[in-house]
Amino acid sequence: MAVCIAVIAKENYPLYIRSTPTENELKFHYMVHTSLDVVDEKISAMGKALVDQRELYLGLLYPTEDYKVYGYVTNSKVKFVMVVDSSNTALRDNEIRSMFRKLHNSYTDVMCNPFYNPGDRIQSSGSVSLSRAFDNMVTSMMIQVC
Amino acid sequence: MPRLGGRNVLMKRGEREKEKVSRLELGSRGIKCVVLSDPLKDSSRTQESWNAFLTKLRTLLLMSFTKNLGKFEDDMRTLREKRTEPGWSFCEYFMVQEELAFVFEMLQQFEDALVQYDELDALFSQYVVNFGAGDGANWLTFFCQPVKSWNGLILRKPIDMEKRESIQRREATLLDLRSYLFSRQCTLLLFLQRPWEVAQRALELLHNCVQELKLLEVSVPPGALDCWVFLSCLEVLQRIEGCCDRTQIDSNIAHTVGLWSYATEKLKSLGYLCGLVSEKGPNSEDLNRTVDLLAGLGAERPETANTAQSPYKKLKEALSSVEAFEKHYLDLSHATIEMYTSIGRIRSAKFVGKDLAEFYMRKKAPQKAEIYLQGALKNYLAEGWALPITHTRKQLAECQKHLGQIENYLQTSSLLASDHHLTEEERKHFCQEILDFASQPSDSPGHKIVLPMQSFAQLRDLHFDPSNAVVHVGGVLCIEITMYSQMPVPVHVEQIVVNVHFSIEKNSYRKTAEWLTKHKMSNGIINFPPETAPFPVSQNSLPALELYEMFERSPSDNSLNTTGIICRNVHMLLRRQESSSSLEMPSGVALEEGAHVLRCSHVTLEPGANQITFRTQAKEPGTYTLRQLCASVGSVWFVLPHIYPIVQYDVYSQEPQLHVEPLADSLLAGIPQRVKFTVTTGHYTIKNGDSLQLSNAEAMLILCQAESRAMVYSNTREQSSDAALRIQSSDKVTSISLPVAPAYHVIEFELEVLSLPSAPALGGESDMLGMAEPHRKHKDKQKTGHCMVTTDHKVSIDCPWSIYSTVIALTFSVPFRTTHALLSSGTRKYVQVCVQNLSELDFQLSDSYLVDTSDSTDLQLVPLNTQSQQPIYSKQSVFFVWELKWTEEPPPSLHCRFSVGFSPASEEQLSISLKPYTYEFKVENFFTLYNVKAEIFPPSGMEYCRTGSLCSLEVSITRLSDLLEVDKDEALTESDEHFSTKLMYEVVDNSSNWAVCGKSCGVISMPVAARATHRVHMEVMPLFAGYLPLPDVRLFKYLPHHSAHSSQLDADSWIENDSLSVDKHGDDQPDSSSLKSRGSVHSACSSEHKGLPMPRLQALPAGQVFNSSSGTQVLVIPSQDDHVLEVSVT
């Protein structure tokens, strides 16, 4: 479904980033990083709105020829960025929204883990049981269509 | 529209024949006719009729439109419903719906018109998607024909009839259809004043088209789409620019920048495709491809032919030559970067910049590329994106290599060699680059390339041996460090150097040997925090603000002067960030050249942790701070500019010292005591034959024991050796030869010393005249009675390392306190000596003697003590009693010396005989002169005394001896061979058992003759019932005023005649010392009578009066009616 899912800390460094075509990881890193510009723009535009009524889903950040980049920001300014293949037209806004919500829940679980230090990277290697659930969830969101 | 037209005709006719009233069928709605009045008549009715007519006309027109359009839409819908049927054509349907759109457009209903196009757009998109999913429609295959023309969007004409006709003829390609559709949408949007939506939709459209072509598997020549997209982007941008002014465009860059960036991207890929970016220029294949691409563009359209900057011309020019391409590409890139920067999309700007850098690198212009790469890298570093960092660094390394920036290149290489995101081969390559450079002979010998250490190896921990990091001069210090090599291969390092900063802190107690060795206790391991290189530490590691309120009040009236908020950790917050960018710069690291270095040569650092040990011999005393860590590989030096946390070691030099201290809390006099000698050698080496010369104090012996041994310890308290101690004593000097010991060692040995006991100053009457006076320091203490009397002995010691002698004072405490008392029984006399053990030790007392020092032969001291050995426990007392016997007239005073042998009870046998403890005292006037006897008789006729009733007290004072030497004082009066003395008696009841009625005191003249008796009778009244002790009867000597002696006594001793107020110090203990002071009793108003001749009272010494009735008691029974008892006491 998604080709790349990234969790980015408030300070804009990646907490978690994973992409399916691993050989092109770098491209997605660049893409996610660049998308932060739009995330920042949207957040600052939203800043005037009341914080609690704020929509967490940022929508399409920007399209590229091959991919669509969607964004989501939690109240603690942790950003989720999802890159979706443009050819995958089956994905509608609502699906993306629910995927983000799932991601958010899973991330909240990680945060609730007492052995996780907020701000630490969420290891994508499955050896750490701490983030295995999160990792599995991300995997499921990426595989679904493929 | 025949019906509409018919109605028109009808209306016109109606107007013409204004007077006529016509009824007409108008549809099914039942509105038949309209009545119109003559408009020339100016009446309200006329007006009304016309108004009604117009309103009706309007309504009917609208209704007609609605109805017709509704019908049209129905037809259209029907057509659409048939889309699943074979033979249905999208193009046909397109024309139908577009007709509707045209109608709306004509009616100025642009919004509605736009909706029609959007619907068509969505329908088409859905078909394409369905086609992709396998649900193909026949008509769509037509759109799948190969793309032959890619001449971009045409937005300058409201309707591109050419394309429309091709659609009508069903000859349009997908791009044609899309282009036409978008051009219509664009036109409508511009009518609606929504140019920014055009930009947004254009980008979507372009992305979408590319996707659709892919999805439909339309064959597209390489580069054709790029051309199309590029042209379209520019066309859209120019179209928007054409209808907006500059300020509008500037404030809406966010909407258009996407198109700019897309165009740039496409031009770049065209450039790469056509070989315009390579160094050599395009080859023939590239040229062929270019020609093909240009052919696909077709001829320029007439409407743009006159425009100089048309997209068509631009593209054609850009593809025509390398230079032109470069110009256009740079123009576009710079414009894009500028726009991104201006709207704050820094990351995007950097990303475009990176593309530009890549282009420059291709063009072999690394100097231009560098700035873009650095900028991008800085951005990635600041936000901690590891993969982009690595990638950009790799590019930067190449760039720096081309530029010949050796230091920068090596530094980047070292960073890359330690980068785990690279493959092993890549890391080895970069590592090898460094090693290759290091191994090649440099042009200028001694030239060093200084690089930061972090990427090469990291300092993990540091360990000192000795672990407290304190070493004496000449001592050896080991520092073991753990370095974690980041290199993928083992690296041979010529030397690892630690620069040490040396500082002397004189006059600081903290730097003295004692302080250092005692206080600097640590485990000696210092851990260094691991470098968090890829993390953007700058933001999240900042401590929270520590804010405090601050009030400053004026000192005079406490009013508030200033108030504010203070940030306590401002130094943390405002400190210069160790920004990652500076790490990339080679500048910051400077090699420090210090005099003090720790060096370790020829080390091979394996990947991972390495242990390196530095060894140094301490030279000068002071504090050494480790400052820099350098590792040299050939001419490359890796430098860790600051070692943090601060690592220090201290070197100290120590003067030789001698300490003498008792083993116990205090030394006891009289018994052997152990004293510990500690020689801290410091920088002095004890040679064979060095000895301590102790000048003997007279009253202190140093006991030589054969088996005493000296221990030699190293500075760290490890025992290194022990040796027998040779002690030679002569009269004056005791010489202790020290064992041979190296510098910075400690020699410890113990000696026994004995302070010869000497009777301390004690006892009331004797003032210790003529006694061997010990060094008495604490005279105050001994009078308080509970502390031991101390004696100081000073020993002067000559040490081999100094020409001056050391004087050491040892304080000994006398373990005993002795008091004596004279006890009487009639005329028989006893001397009691009380020995009190004040120490914590138990002693064994033996051989107690009491001798008369005046050696009067007629005096005999008969001991009443039975045991010769007697234990005396800690804090306990032992009493000794002797009876005093004499044959002739007793001497007025007696000098005694008490001596008792003592030894600690615990020790079985002492090597030497101990001197006994002695105590001298003097007893005076011990012979009993008067016997006082008091008796109480119940009132006559009564058997017992009763409370409240007067009883008679009879006191009889009896002289027991004839005139003696002690009687000769001024109270003695002589008349006719008879001597008499004046005494004053006093009856005092301190316990308030008795009320003395009448005179309680009186002066009597006592004949000085044996058995002379004086009786006094007085009345007393018991106040309580029970066995009551008798009231005290006191006897004083009544001295006349005119005496030479009186001048010696002070005025306090004067008493008023009648109202005698005698000092009533209660307990008459038989303490002779207290009696003496009691003799000078005072009267309350003595100062008034000062100078008047007054008689004086002198208490008789305790030994001279014997109260034979002391201790007797009288039974008093309670009276019947004691509740009416009335007592008046004068």
Side-chain angles (χ1 to χ4, degrees):
Chain A
M1 219 175 239
V3 288
C4 176
I5 288 177
V7 180
I8 294 140
K10 183 174 176 252
E11 292 84 5
N12 287 340
Y13 62 89
L15 290 172
Y16 180 93
I17 181 160
R18 188 145 156 243
S19 48
T20 26
T22 37
E23 71 276 6
N24 230 343
E25 221 180 335
L26 180 67
K27 185 175 81 182
F28 289 113
H29 278 244
Y30 276 126
M31 197 182 287
V32 172
H33 182 250
T34 314
S35 74
L36 290 177
D37 272 338
V38 189
V39 173
D40 282 355
E41 220 166 71
K42 294 209 176 196
I43 290 175
S44 61
M46 262 191 320
K48 288 140 202 158
L50 280 174
V51 178
D52 42 333
Q53 289 168 3
R54 205 178 60 193
E55 169 71 275
L56 301 177
Y57 178 56
L58 298 176
L60 182 66
L61 298 180
Y62 70 88
T64 64
E65 226 174 76
D66 305 311
Y67 301 103
K68 289 192 172 99
V69 187
Y70 293 92
Y72 184 93
V73 64
T74 69
N75 284 322
S76 54
K77 296 279 194 299
V78 172
K79 295 129 194 160
F80 299 138
V81 174
M82 200 177 326
V83 183
V84 174
D85 206 313
S86 289
S87 61
N88 194 342
T89 40
L91 275 179
R92 300 267 164 221
D93 223 33
N94 267 337
E95 276 111 51
I96 300 283
R97 220 180 262 261
S98 74
M99 275 164 80
F100 270 127
R101 218 163 287 137
K102 259 162 78 185
L103 195 65
H104 194 174
N105 287 341
S106 200
Y107 174 73
T108 313
D109 288 346
V110 172
M111 283 298 282
C112 290
N113 189 323
F115 298 101
Y116 173 75
N117 290 328
D120 278 5
R121 270 154 216 257
I122 303 167
Q123 303 292 324
S124 58
S125 62
S127 61
V128 189
S129 67
L130 163 75
S131 53
R132 195 177 290 152
F134 185 78
D135 212 42
N136 290 343
M137 203 276 311
V138 170
T139 311
S140 77
M141 288 203 323
M142 291 176 129
I143 287 173
Q144 245 165 332
V145 155
C146 306
Chain B
M1 298 166 210
R3 283 194 66 176
L4 196 68
R7 199 161 45 185
N8 255 346
V9 172
L10 189 86
M11 290 303 161
K12 281 173 188 159
R13 201 190 302 149
E15 276 172 65
R16 258 182 263 123
E17 303 171 27
K18 292 158 202 160
E19 303 287 322
K20 274 188 181 163
V21 177
S22 51
R23 275 167 178 256
L24 283 165
E25 279 280 328
L26 268 177
S28 55
R29 302 291 287 277
I31 302 164
K32 304 289 190 217
C33 59
V34 174
V35 179
L36 283 175
S37 303
D38 187 355
L40 298 175
K41 283 186 185 164
D42 190 21
S43 71
S44 62
R45 197 166 151 270
T46 317
Q47 204 113 48
E48 219 168 81
S49 73
W50 278 100
N51 275 347
F53 166 68
L54 286 176
T55 315
K56 207 156 264 179
L57 182 64
R58 188 170 164 269
T59 317
L60 289 170
L61 271 173
L62 279 176
M63 275 170 61
S64 161
F65 269 112
T66 312
K67 193 175 175 189
N68 282 286
L69 285 177
K71 189 157 190 305
F72 188 87
E73 273 181 50
D74 284 346
D75 292 348
M76 190 179 84
R77 217 167 284 129
T78 326
L79 187 60
R80 196 163 62 194
E81 293 307 314
K82 287 183 187 156
R83 66 184 183 273
T84 45
E85 289 172 16
W88 187 83
S89 164
F90 177 76
C91 292
E92 203 178 299
Y93 175 73
F94 183 91
M95 287 302 148
V96 174
Q97 188 157 11
E98 195 183 24
E99 200 176 330
L100 183 62
F102 280 148
V103 172
F104 281 126
E105 193 182 347
M106 268 193 303
L107 293 172
Q108 302 284 303
Q109 298 304 310
F110 301 120
E111 199 77 57
D112 291 317
L114 190 58
V115 168
Q116 304 312 314
Y117 284 108
D118 286 351
E119 277 181 13
L120 282 171
D121 195 343
L123 184 67
F124 187 73
S125 297
Q126 193 56 49
Y127 265 108
V128 175
V129 169
N130 290 352
F131 185 81
D135 179 18
N138 281 337
W139 57 267
L140 203 61
T141 47
F142 184 75
F143 286 104
C144 297
Q145 57 189 303
V147 174
K148 293 196 189 73
S149 160
W150 41 85
N151 46 7
L153 296 173
I154 300 143
L155 305 175
R156 285 164 216 245
K157 289 189 285 191
I159 304 171
D160 186 353
M161 291 314 283
E162 197 184 315
K163 284 227 166 65
R164 187 164 190 272
E165 274 158 27
S166 73
I167 293 167
Q168 216 162 9
R169 288 197 309 269
R170 306 189 187 179
E171 282 167 6
T173 60
L174 183 122
L175 285 184
D176 286 337
L177 178 75
R178 283 290 183 193
S179 299
Y180 178 71
L181 201 53
F182 184 73
S183 74
R184 294 296 302 138
Q185 285 169 326
C186 171
T187 309
L188 292 171
L189 283 170
L190 289 179
F191 277 137
L192 287 167
Q193 300 288 317
R194 276 143 65 180
W196 314 122
E197 202 177 329
V198 174
Q200 195 193 325
R201 279 173 174 238
L203 202 55
E204 263 171 54
L205 166 88
L206 296 177
H207 289 142
N208 198 25
C209 285
V210 173
Q211 281 302 319
E212 278 176 351
L213 286 175
K214 235 186 256 174
L215 195 68
L216 296 177
E217 291 160 352
V218 176
S219 83
V220 183
L225 268 185
D226 295 337
C227 286
W228 185 75
V229 169
F230 176 77
L231 288 173
S232 303
C233 283
L234 290 194
E235 178 71 15
V236 172
L237 289 171
Q238 287 188 357
R239 184 76 186 90
I240 292 171
E241 272 168 38
C243 65
C244 297
D245 57 9
R246 197 72 236 161
T247 49
Q248 262 179 306
I249 289 168
D250 282 345
S251 53
N252 285 288
I253 285 173
H255 296 103
T256 55
V257 72
L259 285 170
W260 282 103
S261 137
Y262 198 24
T264 314
E265 197 182 305
K266 286 300 160 191
L267 185 60
K268 184 187 83 179
S269 64
L270 275 176
Y272 281 95
L273 189 73
C274 300
L276 295 164
V277 183
S278 66
E279 214 177 342
K280 286 163 276 171
N283 53 25
S284 58
E285 200 182 323
D286 294 332
L287 287 174
N288 275 340
R289 203 175 290 137
T290 315
V291 170
D292 287 348
L293 283 176
L294 289 177
L297 295 178
E300 186 168 15
R301 300 238 183 61
E303 61 266 23
T304 58
N306 298 326
T307 338
Q309 285 287 316
S310 74
Y312 180 85
K313 286 202 187 82
K314 269 193 179 175
L315 182 60
K316 215 159 188 183
E317 196 187 324
L319 293 182
S320 65
S321 74
V322 175
E323 291 76 26
F325 173 79
E326 186 178 340
K327 177 185 164 288
H328 281 286
Y329 178 60
L330 292 185
D331 278 353
L332 265 180
S333 292
H334 287 307
T336 311
I337 292 174
E338 203 176 294
M339 281 183 213
Y340 270 136
T341 316
S342 74
I343 57 168
R345 293 196 186 178
I346 303 300
R347 297 176 191 88
S348 310
K350 298 290 181 204
F351 190 65
V352 177
K354 269 198 67 217
D355 279 345
L356 193 54
E358 223 166 276
F359 170 77
Y360 278 128
M361 287 303 291
R362 287 276 194 115
K363 301 288 283 179
K364 292 279 173 269
Q367 69 280 357
K368 285 183 184 159
E370 196 201 352
I371 181 169
Y372 291 105
L373 290 174
Q374 290 280 18
L377 182 58
K378 199 171 163 182
N379 185 242
Y380 300 138
L381 279 170
E383 295 187 340
W385 287 73
L387 280 186
I389 290 172
T390 309
H391 178 241
T392 313
R393 262 199 196 132
K394 234 162 78 187
Q395 292 177 312
L396 187 63
E398 199 194 333
C399 170
Q400 286 165 337
K401 193 178 183 182
H402 284 301
L403 282 175
Q405 299 175 339
I406 292 164
E407 281 188 37
N408 293 1
Y409 175 60
L410 290 178
Q411 189 182 340
T412 313
S413 295
S414 77
L415 285 167
L416 285 167
S418 63
D419 196 328
H420 292 280
H421 291 105
L422 287 178
T423 60
E424 193 71 15
E425 284 68 41
E426 283 173 301
R427 291 179 60 194
K428 277 180 184 158
H429 162 74
F430 284 110
C431 186
Q432 201 54 47
E433 288 281 301
I434 303 169
L435 296 179
D436 286 351
F437 177 83
S439 60
Q440 64 182 267
S442 70
D443 331 327
S444 50
H447 178 70
K448 288 172 188 168
I449 304 281
V450 177
L451 298 177
M453 167 90 68
Q454 283 94 333
S455 56
F456 174 69
Q458 286 174 359
L459 190 56
R460 284 287 165 89
D461 53 51
L462 186 148
H463 174 81
F464 277 113
D465 182 33
S467 63
N468 59 356
V470 173
V471 70
H472 56 76
V473 170
V476 173
L477 181 82
C478 283
I479 302 170
E480 194 178 87
I481 62 171
T482 306
M483 276 181 94
Y484 191 90
S485 172
Q486 307 269 35
M487 293 293 115
V489 290
V491 179
H492 179 80
V493 179
E494 267 104 84
Q495 56 178 357
I496 296 180
V497 175
V498 180
N499 275 304
V500 179
H501 178 257
F502 169 63
S503 66
I504 313 169
E505 277 181 68
K506 278 180 179 161
N507 307 324
S508 162
Y509 173 68
R510 284 180 165 269
K511 293 296 161 193
T512 58
E514 288 84 3
W515 193 88
L516 286 171
T517 43
K518 273 181 201 146
H519 289 84
K520 247 190 101 174
M521 280 299 173
S522 64
N523 58 4
I525 298 175
I526 294 144
N527 284 307
F528 297 93
E531 290 288 327
T532 50
F535 249 47
V537 282
S538 49
Q539 288 127 328
N540 53 7
S541 70
L542 268 188
L545 283 175
E546 283 176 36
L547 294 177
Y548 292 90
E549 289 170 282
M550 187 267 301
F551 301 105
E552 208 169 86
R553 292 172 189 281
S554 86
S556 54
D557 55 348
N558 205 32
S559 62
L560 198 59
N561 268 359
T562 26
T563 181
I565 293 173
I566 293 179
C567 178
R568 290 265 173 89
N569 57 351
V570 100
H571 58 287
M572 305 280 290
L573 293 162
L574 295 185
R575 137 182 103 177
R576 193 183 73 90
Q577 296 291 325
E578 289 281 345
S579 58
S580 322
S581 57
S582 73
L583 289 179
E584 297 296 306
M585 306 300 168
S587 56
V589 188
L591 204 56
E592 246 178 51
E593 284 295 344
H596 301 268
V597 287
L598 306 173
R599 208 179 290 273
C600 199
S601 297
H602 295 289
V603 183
T604 301
L605 290 179
E606 298 288 334
N610 292 270
Q611 301 277 341
I612 299 150
T613 308
F614 297 93
R615 219 166 241 291
T616 181
Q617 188 158 31
K619 289 191 192 80
E620 272 182 83
T623 301
Y624 292 80
T625 312
L626 308 193
R627 291 283 272 271
Q628 278 196 343
L629 182 67
C630 314
S632 72
V633 181
S635 52
V636 179
W637 285 69
F638 292 99
V639 178
L640 182 65
H642 303 288
I643 297 178
Y644 185 83
I646 290 168
V647 182
Q648 290 184 325
Y649 67 90
D650 291 286
V651 175
Y652 66 92
S653 145
Q654 198 179 12
E655 292 299 314
Q657 278 176 330
L658 171 68
H659 283 285
V660 180
E661 54 191 7
L663 273 183
D665 286 345
S666 65
L667 293 168
L668 293 177
I671 54 168
Q673 294 283 287
R674 297 186 81 79
V675 172
K676 189 164 117 181
F677 282 69
T678 310
V679 176
T680 312
T681 57
H683 58 69
Y684 182 80
T685 308
I686 307 249
K687 297 175 288 291
N688 203 1
D690 280 343
S691 60
L692 297 176
Q693 308 281 339
L694 279 69
S695 61
N696 294 349
E698 276 173 40
M700 194 184 83
L701 295 180
I702 291 164
L703 307 176
C704 310
Q705 280 169 303
E707 72 274 20
S708 61
R709 299 186 74 79
M711 297 296 203
V712 182
Y713 297 99
S714 74
N715 234 9
T716 48
R717 296 302 298 172
E718 287 154 19
Q719 189 177 341
S720 60
S721 67
D722 66 339
L725 208 59
R726 277 178 298 117
I727 303 172
Q728 290 167 323
S729 284
S730 65
D731 289 351
K732 290 275 179 196
V733 174
T734 304
S735 163
I736 304 163
S737 55
L738 294 170
V740 176
Y744 294 101
H745 276 61
V746 176
I747 304 170
E748 279 185 4
F749 56 90
E750 289 174 12
L751 284 185
E752 286 203 322
V753 294
L754 176 66
S755 168
L756 295 178
S758 55
L762 256 188
E765 289 161 359
S766 66
D767 262 334
M768 298 297 162
L769 291 169
M771 277 190 64
E773 180 93 357
H775 303 277
R776 286 169 53 197
K777 264 190 173 174
H778 309 291
K779 282 192 173 175
D780 294 333
K781 272 192 184 172
Q782 82 191 47
K783 278 181 183 154
T784 58
H786 293 292
C787 289
M788 290 185 264
V789 178
T790 56
T791 325
D792 284 357
H793 293 288
K794 285 205 174 72
V795 184
S796 114
I797 304 173
D798 287 330
C799 304
W801 54 80
S802 167
I803 54 163
Y804 303 105
S805 21
T806 314
V807 176
I808 282 158
L810 291 174
T811 304
F812 291 89
S813 308
V814 181
F816 302 118
R817 189 167 69 123
T818 319
T819 51
H820 68 272
L822 181 72
L823 306 175
S824 312
S825 172
T827 51
R828 293 172 77 174
K829 295 288 165 179
Y830 304 89
V831 174
Q832 184 202 49
V833 176
C834 168
V835 178
Q836 198 183 352
N837 183 2
L838 297 169
S839 73
E840 302 288 335
L841 277 178
D842 300 339
F843 289 97
Q844 192 75 33
L845 298 180
S846 59
D847 308 324
S848 54
Y849 292 108
L850 186 70
V851 289
D852 178 18
T853 48
S854 57
D855 272 341
S856 52
T857 47
D858 58 337
L859 204 68
Q860 226 185 328
L861 285 161
V862 181
L864 302 177
N865 314 305
T866 50
Q867 287 169 298
S868 64
Q869 291 273 336
Q870 209 163 10
I872 177 165
Y873 296 106
S874 169
K875 311 285 182 199
Q876 304 285 324
S877 301
V878 164
F879 292 88
F880 298 94
V881 179
W882 281 266
E883 185 174 359
L884 210 54
K885 286 188 175 164
W886 58 87
T887 46
E888 291 168 24
E889 184 181 303
S893 71
L894 178 64
H895 285 274
C896 296
R897 185 195 292 137
F898 169 74
S899 74
V900 64
F902 67 102
S903 60
S906 56
E907 281 167 52
E908 51 292 346
Q909 194 60 50
L910 287 166
S911 54
I912 53 147
S913 57
L914 299 174
K915 292 273 174 71
Y917 171 73
T918 59
Y919 172 68
E920 289 192 33
F921 58 94
K922 197 168 104 180
V923 182
E924 282 181 319
N925 299 330
F926 56 85
F927 189 71
T928 310
L929 295 179
Y930 303 100
N931 183 21
V932 178
K933 194 180 173 201
E935 273 182 296
I936 288 184
F937 303 102
S940 53
M942 298 266 221
E943 201 179 340
Y944 298 108
C945 302
R946 281 179 182 276
T947 54
S949 59
L950 288 176
C951 307
S952 66
L953 169 72
E954 284 212 355
V955 179
S956 64
I957 302 163
T958 315
R959 171 88 194 184
L960 295 178
S961 68
D962 289 323
L963 183 68
L964 287 175
E965 202 60 26
V966 293
D967 287 318
K968 288 175 180 162
D969 54 14
E970 62 268 57
L972 195 69
T973 49
E974 188 186 348
S975 58
D976 313 333
E977 303 283 312
H978 293 290
F979 292 93
S980 66
T981 185
K982 280 198 169 164
L983 293 176
M984 194 191 91
Y985 66 89
E986 188 195 13
V987 178
V988 181
D989 182 37
N990 284 319
S991 48
S992 305
N993 290 327
W994 302 92
V996 183
C997 307
K999 262 177 81 173
S1000 63
C1001 56
V1003 178
I1004 55 168
S1005 179
M1006 195 73 194
V1008 183
R1011 281 178 303 285
T1013 304
H1014 197 98
R1015 277 187 188 14
V1016 180
H1017 177 84
M1018 55 184 84
E1019 294 202 310
V1020 292
M1021 185 167 67
L1023 302 176
F1024 299 98
Y1027 283 102
L1028 299 183
L1030 296 184
D1032 287 336
V1033 178
R1034 292 184 190 165
L1035 220 53
F1036 301 91
K1037 241 176 204 172
Y1038 193 79
L1039 300 176
H1041 67 270
H1042 55 83
S1043 73
H1045 212 101
S1046 67
S1047 63
Q1048 285 175 4
L1049 297 162
D1050 55 3
D1052 285 345
S1053 57
W1054 298 98
I1055 26 175
E1056 239 175 313
N1057 202 0
D1058 263 344
S1059 61
L1060 271 170
S1061 76
V1062 181
D1063 166 276
K1064 288 182 181 173
H1065 279 220
D1067 38 350
D1068 260 10
Q1069 52 175 313
D1071 189 352
S1072 55
S1073 67
S1074 68
L1075 271 182
K1076 187 181 175 185
S1077 66
R1078 204 101 6 108
S1080 57
V1081 286
H1082 63 90
S1083 70
C1085 48
S1086 59
S1087 56
E1088 291 167 27
H1089 303 278
K1090 203 173 176 180
L1092 286 173
M1094 296 295 271
R1096 290 173 296 115
L1097 283 180
Q1098 193 180 27
L1100 283 165
Q1104 290 183 354
V1105 181
F1106 178 71
N1107 197 339
S1108 60
S1109 59
S1110 70
T1112 53
Q1113 291 178 329
V1114 170
L1115 179 67
V1116 178
I1117 57 171
S1119 67
Q1120 306 298 329
D1121 49 353
D1122 53 5
H1123 59 281
V1124 294
L1125 177 71
E1126 206 173 310
V1127 183
S1128 64
V1129 181
T1130 56

